[in-house]
Amino acid sequence: MSGAGEPDSSGSDPSRTRRALSWLRERARNVARIARWEVTKNAGGVDRRTIAVALVALVGMAALAPVVLSQGIALDDGIYRVGVTEDSPYYDAVTADDTFRAQEPDLDALYAKNQEIIISGERVAQYADTTKGRAAVAELRATVERYNDGLMREETNQTAAFPVLVNLTYVSRNVTRVDPPSQLAIVNPDDADGGAGDGGDGTGDDGSGTGDDGTAGDRSGTDGSGGDGTAGDGSGTAEDGSQSGDGTGGDGTTGDGQSGGDSADTDTASGSGGENVGGSNIADRLTGGSASGAPSDISPPFPFRSLVLAFIFVLPLNFIIQAYGSTVLSERINRRGELLLVAPVSRGDIIAGKTLPYFAGAIGVATAITLALQGSVVSVLAIVPLALLFLSATFLGAMFARSFKELTFVTVTITVSLTSYAFVPAIFTEVTPIALISPLTLVVRDLQGQAITLGQFAFSTVPPTLTAVVCFGLGAGLYREEDMFTQRPIPLKVLDSLAGPISKVRHVGVMTAVLLPFVVVAELVVVALLFALGEISIILVLAAVAIVEELAKSLHIYASYAHARFDRGLRRALTLGVASGLGFFVAEKFQLIARLGDLTSRDIGQAQQNDLAVLGADVPLALVAVALLIAPLALHVVTASISALGARRSKSAYVGAISIAIAVHFAYNLTVVSFLVG
Amino acid sequence: MIAARDLRKEYGDFVAVEGSTFEVDEGEVFGIIGPNGAGKTTTLKMLAGLVEPTGGSVSVAGFEAGETEMRRRLGFLPEESPLYEEMTPLSYLDFFADLYDVPGDVAAERIHDTLDRLDLEHRERPLGDMSKGMKRKVAIARSLINDPDVLIYDEPGSGLDPLTTNYIIDFTRELGERGKTIVFSAHNLYHVESICDRVAIMNEGAIVAKGDLDQLQAEHGHTNYHVYTTVEVDGSVRENGRFHRVVESMDAVEATRDAAQSAGGEVVDIRTEESSLEEVFLNVAEDGAERPRESAGAQP
């Protein structure tokens, strides 16, 4: 214990701590001031009546949304008028369907087009020979078929009613049920392993999960999986996990047998022909978790639930970035932001302050949607990196754009590309683990009551978060008088932002490393978009990877030369190439090590693990080292140097050089893949 | 109060300012004049910490340009008045008072006092609905919101009608008289001459002359002698029954006297006229016209 006046034995410097706290308080105060101003400034530009109307509309939408989602919109209620008497066998079928309005048969009404169908006895006696009349007859036929199926399902002897019966249960490959859903559903994969089990009584020995990718534990509770469903044959999941016997579930992290139970619910509620069944919350109601009925009733599985949930979350972001892009660009129009730059606040304060309201808005909307859909905090946390990514890309785009016309182009590009990145993989949440490249997949999983491991959470959120940081960093580099108010074309602005932080050779390597999150996200998007194309997708992915990586390694070198940062000598060019290649190699391996740490618990890493296993099993250790270290290092250094040699000369020489570098990189990729496959 | 040493600013290959060195004392009004593209605005922006010098150094009120504390002591008025047009003068000034940590009651008093002095009404009207002169007054009020020690004004009367311009120049003069240190640029040399204690003349990025008006006149100006005679002499013009000749030295005056006497007349009046700042400026500009620029690249 140190007395007064004695040196601090802990080594900490109280005055330094005080200064740091003071600095933080100052930053927070400045950011809050600018954020408050950003809100009031923009609010001042909108008529109060408009705000009131917008608020009423929002409240109305918020109130109606759950109702609409749970009950659907019935715009077609009573559009077909059917003349049918109560003693007709069709009467119950007609009245059971809201599409029809039962009336007393009236021939005059039919001629006057006030009635579409007249049923007499057991047959349709007459119908209006109009488009609507024919549609009414077709709809009546379908309604009667559904009605009859329903009656059949009520039969006690189901085998007689449905000699052939198909039950489909859509099962996630990586399902870990969490109950209650309001808890943070991030669980340690170790806890999930074998935790389940008491989901059912239905299966016994053959109930173990048999997912083809074999990381049992967290995906199929081994002991006693399956619920008390009808077939009771346990898990036996197919490769995509989409089909199984009843009562699979078996994921039971919490050991409550929820999955199995749901399946059972589905079965007992079957007869809806794939309509929404089971599930107690709105998210469950968006689509059915299972389907059952005669073969004619079964539709191919479509991840409709994932699509809707992903859409609901990604849509507001697209509106928010429109407003955000406008406010950033408006600072640059007519030099409006100049006076903020001479105020006693930093660039970071200004950018953070201007961004905060839009970020808070995005998270607020996501929180509201999550609450409405009974999701957990995981959904909100997963939206954070996505919101940051959308905002940072918009910020950078708005720093590039010279006019609102260009900004429109920029924001549309961002909307399309980032929505594709976030939305498309999330649709396939239930189909492929590659969907985890998008944070929205976490949201969909969370809303479907599936648990998410910390590894999965990190895998989905770290790349977009780092990319957002890089985007904000590059944009902040342009947030100064000399760049904000100039009217340079977008490509030159891109070069400005890349060359801005570079003044020494080592900066080139650091910049290459910093750009790695971009590379990761871009490559994941490429994989997500191309994986469905079959074998050709491998070639396309390899080519795309080569292009993305070579650009990331060389574009800032070209930008540096364009900004006269370095002399154009041969030795300097080679030095820059080596620095860039080395920076990429180090960052890539660092990222690989981070992934290896979680490989065993993550679907997405399985392929890589298998690849490494192949290498480790069949190839001498020295060769493994060459394959993993020296060869990639040589590749990155050589190709970056090729590009640098072109960049030092001219734009056209750079284009030619990077083309060669891409070709070399592609050949390397092809060789490695051929080796692994062969 | 302000010290600039070997200031240099390059935009790519283009050298906007090179080797500018000057000092401004506390309470002094210092003018920077020069033709378009001379580097005045870039120099002022470097003083304000808005543009980072490529070389050299600037200190303002004891702080390096760009430091937060320096910004707290500075009021900057750019050539344009880029305001947030959806805001009102009061909300706009309130926001900047908040940014500069001015307490609310002090800010309210200062805002109203300054707007009163600037004779600005319609303080709740959106800035977008205001005339250019009114916006300029709001911009000036903003530059004073933190009661700065140093004011950097770039063309404060730019684009305004003569009446408003004179009003703003008078206001600036009043600020100088109240002890503010002001660096001031203008195209209207009469305004500079009327309120500046010292002047620097810039041309093609460099300061080509500086000093008070007397020094500049002595170094770069000249005295014109207006000699009036009763008879015509070589180079004279008839004016109100007399003959008027302008010469530039006393020797020429004596020669004119001799010529008049030879012709049977006499010199009836001699008046002297010092060069105006405008003439000094033109002389300096002409002197420097043939000086080669370091680079002729296009400014980005």
Side-chain angles (χ1 to χ4, degrees):
Chain A
M1 185 174 169
S2 58
E6 290 179 1
D8 187 351
S9 59
S10 68
S12 64
D13 183 350
S15 65
R16 185 178 296 175
T17 307
R18 273 198 300 274
R19 278 202 303 273
L21 287 174
S22 170
W23 183 86
L24 279 175
R25 272 198 301 272
E26 179 75 13
R27 298 280 75 74
R29 198 163 57 226
N30 287 340
V31 169
R33 283 167 175 163
I34 294 170
R36 195 168 56 240
W37 161 73
E38 177 69 24
V39 172
T40 55
K41 171 173 70 76
N42 289 338
V46 182
D47 178 54
R48 286 179 183 174
R49 190 176 299 170
T50 307
I51 294 173
V53 170
L55 282 176
V56 169
L58 274 176
V59 170
M61 283 172 62
L64 283 176
V67 179
V68 170
L69 287 172
S70 61
Q71 298 181 357
I73 300 171
L75 295 176
D76 55 354
D77 276 3
I79 61 168
Y80 300 131
R81 293 150 299 186
V82 180
V84 57
T85 55
E86 290 187 18
D87 57 350
S88 168
Y90 289 100
Y91 184 81
D92 288 343
V94 169
T95 53
D97 189 342
D98 291 338
T99 309
F100 297 104
R101 193 190 313 160
Q103 299 175 336
E104 282 299 316
D106 184 348
L107 206 55
D108 291 337
L110 187 78
Y111 291 141
K113 297 182 180 175
N114 290 327
Q115 216 164 69
E116 278 70 44
I117 299 173
I118 291 179
I119 296 175
S120 174
E122 295 186 357
R123 54 184 289 274
V124 173
Q126 279 188 299
Y127 65 91
D129 190 17
T130 60
T131 305
K132 186 177 179 182
R134 289 189 288 274
V137 171
E139 180 65 24
L140 179 63
R141 186 175 296 120
T143 296
V144 170
E145 284 176 5
R146 283 197 299 272
Y147 181 77
N148 287 339
D149 283 347
L151 290 178
M152 297 291 268
R153 287 189 187 96
E154 289 173 2
E155 290 292 327
T156 52
N157 186 348
Q158 283 290 294
T159 307
F162 294 105
V164 178
L165 184 69
V166 175
N167 288 319
L168 289 183
T169 303
Y170 304 115
V171 181
S172 167
R173 300 183 65 185
N174 197 10
V175 176
T176 308
R177 185 77 185 189
V178 169
D179 191 24
S182 59
Q183 291 178 347
L184 177 61
I186 298 175
V187 297
N188 189 316
D190 295 338
D191 298 338
D193 290 350
D198 59 349
D201 51 3
T203 58
D205 293 340
D206 61 345
S208 60
T210 56
D212 64 320
D213 40 4
T215 55
D218 63 335
R219 67 187 61 201
S220 59
T222 53
D223 48 338
S225 68
D228 49 358
T230 53
D233 57 356
S235 58
T237 54
E239 183 180 348
D240 61 355
S242 63
Q243 185 171 354
S244 73
D246 287 343
T248 48
D251 42 12
T253 301
T254 55
D256 58 1
Q258 285 285 329
S259 266
D262 283 354
S263 295
D265 292 345
T266 300
D267 296 331
T268 54
S270 66
S272 58
E275 296 294 325
N276 297 336
V277 286
S280 57
N281 61 24
I282 294 170
D284 287 339
R285 290 175 184 278
L286 287 171
T287 64
S290 58
S292 177
S296 61
D297 295 332
I298 305 300
S299 301
F302 181 76
F304 184 65
R305 171 168 25 191
S306 305
L307 185 147
V308 173
L309 293 176
F311 182 75
I312 289 172
F313 276 86
V314 83
L315 186 65
L317 291 176
N318 288 293
F319 287 103
I320 288 169
I321 65 167
Q322 300 296 326
Y324 179 62
S326 293
T327 193
V328 173
L329 183 61
S330 69
E331 290 292 301
R332 300 178 49 222
I333 300 293
N334 299 324
R335 309 181 76 91
R336 294 212 313 178
E338 193 171 46
L339 294 173
L340 274 184
L341 293 175
V342 289
V345 291
S346 69
R347 272 191 273 179
D349 294 342
I350 299 169
I351 295 166
K354 289 190 73 67
T355 305
L356 185 59
Y358 300 92
F359 176 71
I363 299 306
V365 171
T367 304
I369 296 171
T370 301
L371 289 174
L373 297 178
Q374 299 174 24
S376 77
V377 70
V378 175
S379 292
V380 180
L381 291 176
I383 290 296
V384 167
L386 207 54
L388 286 174
L389 183 61
F390 270 76
L391 290 172
S392 64
T394 305
F395 173 69
L396 186 59
M399 293 305 295
F400 289 156
R402 290 172 294 182
S403 63
F404 282 100
K405 187 177 173 183
E406 279 190 356
L407 180 67
T408 304
F409 171 78
V410 168
T411 50
V412 166
T413 305
I414 290 168
T415 295
V416 170
S417 56
L418 290 188
T419 300
S420 301
Y421 157 67
F423 183 62
V424 174
I427 296 173
F428 301 105
T429 299
E430 301 288 350
V431 178
T432 172
I434 199 77
L436 276 172
I437 66 171
S438 164
L440 267 188
T441 301
L442 300 177
V443 177
V444 175
R445 283 188 166 206
D446 177 55
L447 291 175
Q448 292 178 345
Q450 301 169 20
I452 295 152
T453 67
L454 280 173
Q456 289 168 339
F457 189 85
F459 178 80
S460 292
T461 56
V462 170
T465 304
L466 291 178
T467 306
V469 169
V470 173
C471 284
F472 273 125
L474 291 174
L478 296 175
Y479 208 93
R480 55 188 197 138
E481 198 274 346
E482 295 169 52
D483 293 311
M484 275 183 82
F485 309 119
T486 53
Q487 293 292 307
R488 288 161 68 77
I490 289 178
L492 294 182
K493 285 265 188 179
V494 173
L495 295 183
D496 289 347
S497 67
L498 289 171
I502 296 175
S503 59
K504 296 175 179 170
V505 172
R506 69 169 182 271
H507 296 162
V508 169
V510 173
M511 176 63 87
T512 306
V514 163
L515 290 175
L516 193 72
F518 269 128
V519 172
V520 172
V521 170
E523 290 178 355
L524 290 177
V525 170
V526 167
V527 170
L529 294 177
L530 297 180
F531 80 97
L533 295 181
E535 287 185 5
I536 188 68
S537 67
I538 296 174
I539 303 296
L540 294 176
V541 166
L542 293 180
V545 164
I547 292 169
V548 169
E549 293 189 359
E550 291 312 318
L551 278 172
K553 287 188 296 186
S554 65
L555 199 56
H556 52 294
I557 295 179
Y558 173 71
S560 302
Y561 277 120
H563 285 72
R565 295 285 196 272
F566 303 111
D567 68 77
R568 294 178 182 269
L570 177 66
R571 180 175 294 179
R572 178 51 60 93
L574 291 174
T575 310
L576 295 176
V578 170
S580 183
L582 192 60
F584 191 91
F585 174 79
V586 170
E588 188 182 46
K589 293 311 160 197
F590 183 79
Q591 177 248 156
L592 180 62
I593 289 167
R595 280 191 179 185
L596 282 171
D598 195 44
L599 270 181
T600 55
S601 63
R602 211 182 305 138
D603 296 318
I604 199 73
Q606 196 60 44
Q608 292 178 30
Q609 189 185 37
N610 292 341
D611 292 345
L612 295 176
V614 167
L615 276 175
D618 302 338
V619 184
L621 188 61
L623 201 53
V624 173
V626 169
L628 291 179
L629 296 174
I630 299 175
L633 175 61
L635 168 79
H636 292 310
V637 167
V638 167
T639 53
S641 299
I642 292 171
S643 300
L645 288 173
R648 79 187 179 109
R649 290 185 171 277
S650 65
K651 183 178 174 182
S652 54
Y654 169 63
V655 171
I658 195 174
S659 301
I660 295 170
I662 289 169
V664 171
H665 195 143
F666 177 68
Y668 171 90
N669 286 349
L670 208 55
T671 305
V672 171
V673 170
S674 302
F675 173 73
L676 288 174
V677 173
Chain B
M1 184 61 91
I2 297 174
R5 297 265 181 280
D6 289 326
L7 272 187
R8 181 178 179 84
K9 183 62 192 177
E10 298 169 4
Y11 293 101
D13 296 332
F14 179 80
V15 180
V17 174
E18 58 173 317
S20 291
T21 297
F22 58 89
E23 292 182 350
V24 183
D25 295 331
E26 188 173 351
E28 187 177 21
V29 180
F30 186 81
I32 298 180
I33 60 174
N36 291 330
K40 305 185 296 294
T41 296
T42 303
T43 300
L44 294 183
K45 285 180 176 175
M46 285 193 283
L47 295 183
L50 199 54
V51 170
E52 190 178 350
T54 309
S57 64
V58 180
S59 78
V60 176
F63 298 95
E64 274 189 36
E67 278 187 57
T68 304
E69 282 309 310
M70 168 265 184
R71 293 180 184 192
R72 292 190 189 283
R73 289 165 168 75
L74 180 78
F76 178 63
L77 181 71
E79 186 173 357
E80 300 294 329
S81 297
L83 305 174
Y84 296 97
E85 305 209 330
E86 58 273 28
M87 301 180 84
T88 67
L90 290 182
S91 63
Y92 178 79
L93 295 172
D94 270 338
F95 165 61
F96 274 94
D98 192 26
L99 273 188
Y100 281 87
D101 279 331
V102 182
D105 51 342
V106 176
E109 186 181 341
R110 193 174 290 163
I111 289 168
H112 286 287
D113 179 53
T114 308
L115 293 181
D116 286 344
R117 282 160 55 203
L118 284 164
D119 197 22
L120 185 81
E121 297 175 355
H122 310 299
R123 297 171 191 184
E124 295 283 5
R125 184 192 289 185
L127 288 163
D129 295 344
M130 292 187 158
S131 70
K132 199 170 181 178
M134 294 164 85
K135 289 179 185 174
R136 198 62 172 164
K137 289 178 179 179
V138 174
I140 289 173
R142 185 209 44 76
S143 74
L144 298 168
I145 197 70
N146 52 329
D147 191 22
D149 302 322
V150 178
L151 290 166
I152 295 176
Y153 280 9
D154 190 5
E155 302 278 356
S158 171
L160 304 179
D161 65 80
L163 206 60
T164 309
T165 301
N166 286 338
Y167 190 92
I168 286 172
I169 294 298
D170 288 344
F171 186 80
T172 308
R173 182 186 295 114
E174 183 193 325
L175 291 172
E177 288 166 1
R178 289 165 60 187
K180 302 286 186 192
T181 304
I182 302 174
V183 181
F184 176 95
S185 92
H187 281 300
N188 188 320
L189 301 183
Y190 168 74
H191 292 149
V192 176
E193 196 172 351
S194 68
I195 66 172
C196 290
D197 300 313
R198 285 195 304 135
V199 174
I201 300 175
M202 292 192 74
N203 194 24
E204 299 188 342
I207 293 180
V208 291
K210 66 183 174 205
D212 60 33
L213 202 55
D214 291 339
Q215 284 177 307
L216 290 174
Q217 282 170 338
E219 292 174 16
H220 304 282
H222 52 260
T223 303
N224 288 328
Y225 299 90
H226 297 260
V227 184
Y228 295 89
T229 58
T230 54
V231 295
E232 184 175 10
V233 295
D234 190 26
S236 65
V237 177
R238 190 177 183 88
E239 242 181 48
N240 299 326
R242 299 185 301 180
F243 293 90
H244 177 203
R245 186 185 182 200
V246 181
V247 296
E248 295 183 353
S249 66
M250 283 305 295
D251 290 342
V253 171
E254 290 305 320
T256 303
R257 186 194 305 275
D258 293 342
Q261 288 173 347
S262 301
E266 60 179 347
V267 172
V268 292
D269 195 7
I270 300 175
R271 296 177 188 174
T272 60
E273 179 196 39
E274 301 297 330
S275 292
S276 66
L277 182 60
E278 186 170 354
E279 287 169 316
V280 170
F281 167 69
L282 290 173
N283 289 340
V284 171
E286 285 169 8
D287 290 344
E290 295 177 3
R291 188 171 59 88
R293 195 88 189 253
E294 186 156 324
S295 170
Q299 183 169 343

